[in-house]
Amino acid sequence: MPSPKSDSHDSFLRLYVECEESLRGYVRSLLPTLEDAREVMQNTAAVLWRKFDQLDHPKNFRRWAFGVARFEVLSYRRDKARDRHIFGEELITQLAQESEKIGMDCDREIKALKFCLAKLPPKQSALVQEAYDKDLKIKQIAEREGRTPMSVYKVLHRARIALADCIKETLEAEGAKA
Amino acid sequence: MKSDQEKMDLVGRYLAGEASAAEASRLEQLMFADEQLRKDFLAYARIDAFLPSIVSESASLVDFVQETETKKKFNRWIPVAVALICALIWVSSFSLLTSEPAEIAHFEELKNCRWINEKENPSVGDTIRVGQRIELSKGQAKLLFDTGAVIELKGPSILEIRNKNAAFLTLGSAEVLADSKESQGFILATPSSNFIDLGTAFSATVAPDGLSRLEVTQGKVNLIVEEDHDSHLLQQGEAIFVEPGAHKILTRIESGDETDQFRFPTISKPSTDDLADQSKGGSQITVPQGKLRTRPSFSPNPNVLIDGKGQSKQDSPQESLFFEHGSFGSILMDLGRAVSIRKINSYSWHQHNRIGDHRVRAHQGYVLYGFAGNHPPSAKEIGSPNSEWVRIARVNSDQFFQVHQKLDRPAQQACSIFASKGELGNYRYLLWDVKAPTFFGEIDVYETP
């Protein structure tokens, strides 16, 4: 049998893939924009890979990854907090603890989100597609659509709220059936 | 959401990066005191995190893994999907009749270009449309997409533009730079796989028989093998070959640290843990073809390939297996029984004691074959159409490292052959048809767990 380190690259990828989305949700919830979250996710992945040989057991990868991500978020916050409106360390730490509890298993949540996305009204759905597929800022979408940035923001905001409500209902209904 | 509208508006503004300092501070105070608001904040943020990979064409790593797990469940949706596709074709036929395919790129630079179809002779600035085939027989063409992605095509090459962030390389060589935000996730598809850029640069080559080579020059690239729905993340400086065929075999070659530790970026060092190691007692190495190099001071020992270690120094004939100068041959390994094989690694090291650039014996060049039965066909049969030997992979590390000068060639090399998904195959015999003067130090064969 190969030693635990004999296939570290494959093992890392497998473990990382398993918790990538949970980790993304976790990091996003601690930072103000998707752009911030992307940067921290990239740093987190690099640190995880660099320090992978320090992981004591694969079963601890997820918890370790969340710990590394939390550290990276706090470090990022220290770098950016002077010129950005980012929550203080105390609230980030509190959110991190609460987020870790719900973030460990996001598969059902993502499945429900896909289901709910299909139920959005066409106009909302189209705008969500445009915003997230093309990764455009609200101002850019407003220019393309000939609308005000505020009206675009409101549609997207309402869509996210509708999706959050739908996910909650879907997961509750699943729970009731089970 | 149970929190009131005013609070959720603050959440939305904060997570859109639009909140003022006063608004961010007020939200922070509210969240300290309000557990429900924190819950709603987290739910809202997580939706924002998951949406890009759900709506994007370039699905995340996780989506591909999940897809394989849930594929069977989709069968019940096939009739619905067929109806939907028919409807889409019907709708799209109107747009095809009424408008030309979208212009999504243009020719940015053209150097000494000759085109396969001589009637086509584009100029710099000419637009490129979705579906357009670019068939370059000679020279270099630089294509700039509206998203900011750049493809440099070297002739002979055939490239088809799929959409604003995707192209299909049928043949030839292309370098992709996709470092703008809009171009992130650019997909270069080849006959064997999809290469998805994660925000940086890579080059790809497709041989006439479909063998694809990917090299990451900057950042990361996700390699997706379509039939397997499996993905492999490659980092800067890493490269990989993908064999064509239904069962995708990947070959990773790396240069080592040129010490007796045989350290490589991702390939493990020579091991005593593998199935073929002599400590397990089940494997035998023979040389059915070719003449091994002998000297008065030593006679060749094939077991150096399964002793769990590479050479202890840079030029060590006693610890290496290699053929007589100017001749090649084959190496046969009998594993003792047919085994499901997950991975096969080979290691070489040679740097001449006196001649600094004499690294030719580090070059690994071979074709690897397998046979599952108890009575292996003759090694002479390899390559013939009726041969029972199954070709597993082709390795040419000089091609891989793009060796043009002797010093381009790393003195210590490792090659790892593995399947994109699952096992390489079930074999008792492995045959290396060696086509280079390699100083092999070790071969490790790993069983599927």
Side-chain angles (χ1 to χ4, degrees):
Chain A
M1 290 290 288
S3 69
K5 286 185 180 177
S6 69
D7 201 6
S8 61
H9 190 258
D10 292 354
S11 307
F12 173 79
L13 279 180
R14 187 174 50 76
L15 293 166
Y16 183 73
V17 161
E18 275 173 14
C19 76
E20 186 190 14
E21 286 302 292
S22 305
L23 205 59
R24 195 189 307 286
Y26 173 71
V27 168
R28 176 68 187 103
S29 62
L30 304 180
L31 289 165
T33 68
L34 263 178
E35 211 167 83
D36 296 320
R38 278 198 192 111
E39 197 171 330
V40 170
M41 272 298 281
Q42 212 161 23
N43 294 343
T44 303
V47 171
L48 290 173
W49 169 235
R50 205 165 55 237
K51 299 188 173 176
F52 187 51
D53 59 351
Q54 295 173 16
L55 178 68
D56 54 354
H57 194 282
K59 73 175 183 191
N60 297 329
F61 182 85
R62 186 173 278 251
R63 194 159 293 281
W64 175 63
F66 273 69
V68 169
R70 187 165 159 183
F71 181 82
E72 288 299 314
V73 166
L74 290 173
S75 164
Y76 184 83
R77 187 206 162 273
R78 279 178 212 123
D79 291 344
K80 305 277 180 182
R82 278 183 206 150
D83 46 34
R84 299 281 306 280
H85 311 310
I86 301 181
F87 290 152
E89 283 199 26
E90 197 183 340
L91 181 58
I92 287 184
T93 304
Q94 189 170 1
L95 283 174
Q97 286 166 352
E98 290 170 10
S99 182
E100 274 171 39
K101 286 179 200 162
I102 54 172
M104 291 297 171
D105 177 17
C106 68
D107 291 353
R108 288 176 59 234
E109 202 178 339
I110 289 175
K111 204 172 152 191
L113 176 56
K114 286 178 182 169
F115 170 74
C116 294
L117 196 58
K119 288 170 66 178
L120 278 183
K123 281 186 181 172
Q124 265 188 358
S125 175
L127 213 57
V128 167
Q129 292 280 344
E130 189 162 20
Y132 286 97
D133 182 18
K134 294 169 185 161
D135 198 19
L136 297 179
K137 290 195 184 309
I138 285 175
K139 203 176 159 189
Q140 291 171 301
I141 300 171
E143 279 169 11
R144 289 165 74 125
E145 297 286 315
R147 306 168 72 152
T148 65
M150 182 51 79
S151 76
V152 172
Y153 163 76
K154 281 186 175 169
V155 174
L156 287 174
H157 180 59
R158 279 198 293 270
R160 290 188 203 107
I161 299 234
L163 289 169
D165 288 339
C166 171
I167 289 171
K168 191 164 180 289
E169 281 169 19
T170 308
L171 293 178
E172 280 173 359
E174 264 184 19
K177 275 184 205 167
Chain B
M1 299 230 147
K2 289 182 181 167
S3 299
D4 65 37
Q5 191 183 333
E6 188 199 341
K7 289 176 182 173
M8 288 315 297
D9 280 347
L10 275 177
V11 168
R13 288 182 59 72
Y14 179 81
L15 288 171
E18 301 279 330
S20 66
E23 286 173 326
S25 174
R26 174 163 162 66
L27 179 62
E28 190 166 8
Q29 294 308 315
L30 286 169
M31 282 174 61
F32 269 126
D34 188 340
E35 190 185 347
Q36 183 59 49
L37 181 57
R38 290 199 299 277
K39 274 187 187 169
D40 290 341
F41 175 92
L42 291 174
Y44 190 102
R46 289 161 67 77
I47 287 169
D48 197 43
F50 299 146
L51 277 172
S53 61
I54 290 176
V55 302
S56 164
E57 287 172 358
S58 56
S60 76
L61 292 171
V62 170
D63 282 341
F64 279 90
V65 172
Q66 285 173 338
E67 197 176 340
T68 57
E69 288 168 358
T70 55
K71 204 174 171 186
K72 287 177 187 168
K73 295 178 191 168
F74 290 149
N75 290 345
R76 73 184 81 155
W77 294 101
I78 286 174
V80 180
V82 169
L84 187 64
I85 289 165
C86 290
L88 282 171
I89 290 170
W90 184 73
V91 170
S92 63
S93 65
F94 284 99
S95 61
L96 284 172
L97 287 171
T98 54
S99 65
E100 284 193 283
E103 295 174 353
I104 43 88
H106 66 269
F107 289 98
E108 177 81 352
E109 275 182 29
L110 298 167
K111 282 185 199 166
N112 309 319
C113 291
R114 202 168 69 203
W115 305 92
I116 292 173
N117 181 351
E118 288 181 353
K119 287 179 187 169
E120 281 181 14
N121 193 11
S123 305
V124 170
D126 283 4
T127 53
I128 300 168
R129 293 176 184 277
V130 170
Q132 188 169 335
R133 267 167 80 89
I134 296 161
E135 300 179 327
L136 183 64
S137 68
K138 196 181 168 193
Q140 287 174 286
K142 187 191 269 189
L143 284 48
L144 176 61
F145 286 69
D146 294 348
T147 58
V150 176
I151 294 187
E152 281 198 60
L153 208 57
K154 283 182 192 162
S157 288
I158 298 174
L159 182 86
E160 186 180 320
I161 308 301
R162 289 238 167 123
N163 63 43
K164 66 182 177 61
N165 241 6
F168 186 90
L169 184 65
T170 307
L171 174 75
S173 165
E175 282 183 25
V176 178
L177 174 66
D179 59 356
S180 68
K181 190 174 274 185
E182 271 198 85
S183 66
Q184 213 170 49
F186 188 94
I187 300 174
L188 185 71
T190 73
S192 62
S193 40
N194 286 344
F195 304 146
I196 302 177
D197 191 283
L198 300 177
T200 45
F202 64 89
S203 66
T205 310
V206 178
D209 67 353
L211 179 69
S212 305
R213 175 186 184 275
L214 164 69
E215 181 179 9
V216 182
T217 47
Q218 194 188 325
K220 296 175 202 167
V221 172
N222 205 5
L223 159 64
I224 307 292
V225 178
E226 281 191 289
E227 286 88 340
D228 292 346
H229 298 288
D230 212 346
S231 65
H232 305 265
L233 188 68
L234 269 78
Q235 313 256 10
Q236 181 174 342
E238 295 181 11
I240 208 161
F241 274 115
V242 187
E243 288 274 352
H247 185 44
K248 293 293 183 300
I249 306 294
L250 310 185
T251 304
R252 190 187 276 272
I253 302 176
E254 294 177 348
S255 57
D257 65 351
E258 300 183 16
T259 72
D260 62 355
Q261 295 301 303
F262 276 76
R263 281 184 286 250
F264 297 87
T266 67
I267 298 175
S268 53
K269 62 183 184 181
S271 173
T272 55
D273 291 333
D274 70 300
L275 171 72
D277 195 80
Q278 65 182 0
S279 62
K280 307 284 192 299
S283 301
Q284 278 190 334
I285 299 259
T286 52
V287 179
Q289 285 181 301
K291 189 179 177 203
L292 293 175
R293 185 79 176 268
T294 44
R295 285 276 176 84
S297 56
F298 73 90
S299 54
N301 173 16
N303 284 340
V304 296
L305 296 185
I306 51 173
D307 61 1
K309 57 185 180 4
Q311 296 94 332
S312 61
K313 54 186 179 181
Q314 64 186 37
D315 186 0
S316 180
Q318 292 91 335
E319 294 172 287
S320 309
L321 193 78
F322 59 109
F323 290 94
E324 189 66 65
H325 183 66
S327 75
F328 304 134
S330 53
I331 301 168
L332 180 68
M333 179 182 280
D334 179 4
L335 296 167
R337 60 189 167 90
V339 181
S340 168
I341 296 172
R342 179 170 62 92
K343 184 173 71 175
I344 300 170
N345 292 354
S346 58
Y347 303 85
S348 61
W349 191 18
H350 186 267
Q351 172 75 65
H352 198 281
N353 275 325
R354 295 185 307 281
I355 308 166
D357 62 358
H358 192 172
R359 300 173 175 183
V360 68
R361 287 182 179 277
H363 171 207
Q364 294 194 30
Y366 60 78
V367 183
L368 175 62
Y369 297 87
F371 180 75
N374 291 325
H375 304 289
S378 164
K380 290 178 185 169
E381 279 185 37
I382 51 175
S384 79
N386 300 324
S387 171
E388 290 178 88
W389 286 106
V390 177
R391 191 180 75 190
I392 300 173
R394 291 163 290 175
V395 171
N396 183 346
S397 65
D398 268 6
Q399 187 187 9
F400 195 83
F401 290 116
Q402 298 187 325
V403 173
H404 299 299
Q405 297 178 12
K406 290 171 182 173
L407 280 173
D408 294 341
R409 182 184 291 121
Q412 191 179 61
Q413 304 182 6
C415 168
S416 185
I417 299 167
F418 56 98
S420 165
K421 197 172 185 66
E423 59 165 20
L424 267 177
N426 200 60
Y427 302 110
R428 172 174 171 173
Y429 292 94
L430 295 170
L431 183 76
W432 285 261
D433 182 22
V434 180
K435 297 172 183 295
T438 320
F439 261 46
F440 283 107
E442 171 79 2
I443 291 177
D444 289 336
V445 179
Y446 291 93
E447 194 172 1
T448 307

